[in-house]
Amino acid sequence: MIFIRTIISFLKDDEYRDLLLTTLAVLGGGSIAYHYLEGWSWIDSVYFSIITLTTIGYGDFSPQTEAGKLFTIFYIIIGIGIILTFVNTVYNHYAEVRVEEKKK
């Protein structure tokens, strides 16, 4: 139940909502780019975008075109900071809600 309340309170806050939209825009932009630059399916493009920006990097996909490789360089530089900020913000918000719940 605390998880659902955390998500709802997260979405009500304008700054958090903007961060979520920015994160989705970065992942969406990367997915579109990989779909057209590399000719991957949509699911493969989304998968690669998420795996790349979360720095997991399984290695099962990699850009083969020069345009895809150049895009990936800039995508990583821009995207990792946004994704890490998003993950850190969600965690901090969840921790704050848990502390408030314990006080009650």
Side-chain angles (χ1 to χ4, degrees):
M1 202 63 181
I2 189 171
F3 181 72
I4 293 171
R5 280 185 289 211
T6 302
I7 291 174
I8 291 170
S9 66
F10 187 84
L11 293 175
K12 286 181 180 178
D13 189 303
D14 289 339
E15 289 181 36
Y16 292 145
R17 195 172 40 245
D18 290 345
L19 181 59
L20 175 63
L21 292 175
T22 302
T23 301
L24 292 174
V26 168
L27 290 172
S31 300
I32 291 168
Y34 289 121
H35 177 74
Y36 290 106
L37 291 174
E38 296 296 322
W40 295 340
S41 70
W42 285 109
I43 192 73
D44 288 342
S45 299
V46 171
Y47 169 79
F48 185 75
S49 295
I50 292 171
I51 294 302
T52 300
L53 293 186
T54 57
T55 68
I56 294 172
Y58 289 125
D60 50 351
F61 284 96
S62 62
Q64 301 302 307
T65 64
E66 288 186 13
K69 291 175 184 177
L70 288 172
F71 174 76
T72 301
I73 292 168
F74 294 106
Y75 187 59
I76 290 171
I77 291 169
I78 293 169
I80 285 179
I82 293 170
I83 296 298
L84 291 177
T85 300
F86 176 74
V87 170
N88 187 48
T89 302
V90 169
Y91 174 77
N92 288 336
H93 183 76
Y94 177 74
E96 288 174 14
V97 170
R98 282 190 66 196
V99 167
E100 290 175 16
E101 287 291 319
K102 286 183 180 181
K103 287 180 181 179
K104 290 181 182 180

